[in-house]
Amino acid sequence: MKNKAAPQVSIIVLNWNGWEDTVECLESIYQIKYPNYEILVVDNASQDDSIPKIKQYAQGLVTVESGFFEYNSLNKPLEVFEFPEKEYLNPENIKTDLNPIPSDKKLILLLNNENHGYAKGNNLAMNFVLDKLDSDYILVLNNDTVVHENLLLEMVNAAEEDVNIGCVTPKVYYYDYKGRRDVISHAGETFNLYIGRGKRFCKDQVDDGQCDQSRPVDTIEGCSILFKREVLEKVGLFDPLYFAYWEDTDLCFRIRENGYKLLYVPQARIWHKIGVSWDSYFSYFVIYHYLVRNRLIFMWRFASRLQKTTFSIFFIFYLLANIILMLLKEDLETSKEGLRAISDGINDFRI
């Protein structure tokens, strides 16, 4: 870092029935070139053997094979600090001082008693960090990602340049796009409230330097967001009303409404296994939470009256097209999910 000690970063990785992705993600983090971080895995009551496998990884008993790095056994075993939800919700009861232990020698496990979803699951971990740890930044990172060794160095350096920067996003590549690793998934996004849709820069393009300029953006994808501590303390965390999807967009808008900037930093890079948590794009869960209900909640919250009007016209045609598509596939249940989500999206916003 520039003439001062590196700010401390807490990295939160949410796991739910995905230990193989999680340990690959963890191994990539433990190989980063940054001197002051800690890793927290928050588990949403996984029903597989995630916790035993993650512990075995920490002991050095599970090696990780990846095309992105060579497994490093030299920092194993890791010292594991395990806290069930009832315990870590009251950080004052935790007497262990977690801060002095070296970054690459410890792993904090937070064990939730149920599947709280993306929003609340990450919130519980972020509250633990804010209450118990001395971190200057919190990085929320999907477990189905692999990070470049310079990720934190580039993101923190960029965030430190301007007090008005609230959060930072890296350049996100597809983990595997038809055998390629240089295809961009996300390089920041603009968002149009008149139609309720975002437009990603350089999406699905082979990286040839066309998105190598840092820029302010409207929204940041939730797979990797670096937040300043004071911003979260002022603005708040994810809204658990969403459960999963659109909570990241909601928080980005609240951060911007409070006068902060969102910054895309192309020198920081990750690779994302897009959609591994979806059974299929048109699964009931995605139709219900992502395409319909949560989009409506977000739009009702942030759009002006004119924007709501234009969005409603656009969305009706968009939704009908998807329902017709499902009917053509003789998928009546998914079509019903879409219609039910309209009602819930409007009613839930009133909560």
Side-chain angles (χ1 to χ4, degrees):
M1 303 305 295
K2 299 179 180 178
N3 302 319
K4 63 177 181 179
Q8 181 171 300
V9 182
S10 284
I11 305 171
I12 294 173
V13 178
L14 181 68
N15 179 78
W16 181 65
N17 296 336
W19 69 267
E20 291 177 298
D21 290 326
T22 296
V23 296
E24 184 181 16
C25 177
L26 290 176
E27 182 64 21
S28 72
I29 300 171
Y30 281 115
Q31 297 191 22
I32 61 175
K33 294 181 177 179
Y34 192 84
N36 192 11
Y37 66 91
E38 63 233 335
I39 303 176
L40 301 90
V41 172
V42 53
D43 183 77
N44 257 345
S46 292
Q47 299 302 305
D48 63 357
D49 53 353
S50 280
I51 299 306
K53 289 294 187 181
I54 291 170
K55 289 181 180 179
Q56 289 174 24
Y57 161 78
Q59 295 167 359
L61 302 177
V62 172
T63 60
V64 181
E65 295 184 3
S66 175
F68 293 86
F69 53 78
E70 295 292 332
Y71 173 73
N72 177 22
S73 62
L74 298 180
N75 67 332
K76 314 295 188 306
L78 304 167
E79 190 167 359
V80 177
F81 299 90
E82 181 178 341
F83 304 109
E85 183 175 332
K86 289 183 179 179
E87 182 177 346
Y88 81 76
L89 284 178
N90 298 292
E92 292 182 359
N93 297 330
I94 299 175
K95 304 304 181 182
T96 305
D97 187 0
L98 301 171
N99 290 295
I101 303 170
S103 298
D104 63 348
K105 291 296 184 180
K106 64 181 174 183
L107 175 64
I108 301 170
L109 282 178
L110 306 180
L111 306 181
N112 291 340
N113 56 22
E114 62 181 280
N115 182 6
H116 293 299
Y118 176 91
K120 185 176 179 180
N122 277 305
N123 282 357
L124 290 171
M126 285 192 279
N127 275 319
F128 177 86
V129 172
L130 295 174
D131 290 338
K132 181 64 179 176
L133 303 176
D134 297 329
S135 299
D136 303 287
Y137 290 88
I138 294 177
L139 173 63
V140 175
L141 185 68
N142 270 26
N143 73 317
D144 59 344
T145 61
V146 172
V147 309
H148 188 270
E149 62 184 11
N150 289 332
L151 178 76
L152 278 190
L153 186 65
E154 297 291 351
M155 295 177 83
V156 173
N157 271 335
E160 290 284 285
E161 290 290 331
D162 187 348
V163 296
N164 293 318
I165 294 173
C167 56
V168 175
T169 183
K171 182 186 290 183
V172 182
Y173 297 99
Y174 290 98
Y175 182 91
D176 185 350
Y177 188 94
K178 300 178 180 178
R180 302 187 67 120
R181 297 175 180 170
D182 59 350
V183 179
I184 298 170
S185 166
H186 188 267
E189 183 177 80
T190 60
F191 196 91
N192 187 339
L193 281 168
Y194 287 95
I195 61 173
R197 293 178 65 88
K199 182 178 181 180
R200 295 185 178 187
F201 297 106
C202 301
K203 179 176 172 57
D204 297 340
Q205 296 179 20
V206 174
D207 188 3
D208 195 26
Q210 69 273 41
C211 264
D212 277 355
Q213 295 299 315
S214 180
R215 65 164 71 91
V217 295
D218 290 343
T219 62
I220 291 175
E221 185 182 67
C223 71
S224 177
I225 310 179
L226 180 72
F227 298 100
K228 286 183 177 176
R229 180 190 189 99
E230 62 265 27
V231 172
L232 293 176
E233 291 174 333
K234 178 179 180 180
V235 176
L237 309 180
F238 295 120
D239 187 340
L241 177 63
Y242 291 95
F243 187 80
Y245 306 114
W246 285 88
E247 68 288 299
D248 48 358
T249 307
D250 180 285
L251 182 52
C252 285
F253 266 66
R254 285 188 278 130
I255 289 172
R256 289 172 56 219
E257 285 182 342
N258 279 270
Y260 295 101
K261 294 185 291 187
L262 283 58
L263 187 69
Y264 160 67
V265 180
Q267 294 78 21
R269 293 175 286 163
I270 70 167
W271 288 262
H272 185 201
K273 302 171 186 175
I274 305 295
V276 298
S277 61
W278 298 4
D279 291 331
S280 68
Y281 182 75
F282 286 110
S283 69
Y284 295 161
F285 183 84
V286 173
I287 286 286
Y288 179 69
H289 284 282
Y290 177 58
L291 294 179
V292 185
R293 173 188 177 270
N294 289 359
R295 187 194 300 263
L296 288 174
I297 292 173
F298 171 83
M299 290 298 296
W300 265 225
R301 178 173 290 174
F302 291 100
S304 67
R305 182 175 298 180
L306 175 60
Q307 289 167 338
K308 289 176 184 176
T309 300
T310 60
F311 163 74
S312 296
I313 296 171
F314 167 82
F315 192 66
I316 286 171
F317 284 102
Y318 175 79
L319 183 63
L320 286 174
N322 280 280
I323 291 175
I324 291 171
L325 177 61
M326 291 300 98
L327 289 174
L328 290 174
K329 293 183 176 182
E330 298 183 354
D331 192 347
L332 184 60
E333 289 302 316
T334 303
S335 301
K336 290 179 179 178
E337 284 290 319
L339 293 173
R340 182 163 69 94
I342 296 176
S343 175
D344 285 359
I346 296 172
N347 291 331
D348 288 348
F349 177 69
R350 297 171 183 168
I351 295 174

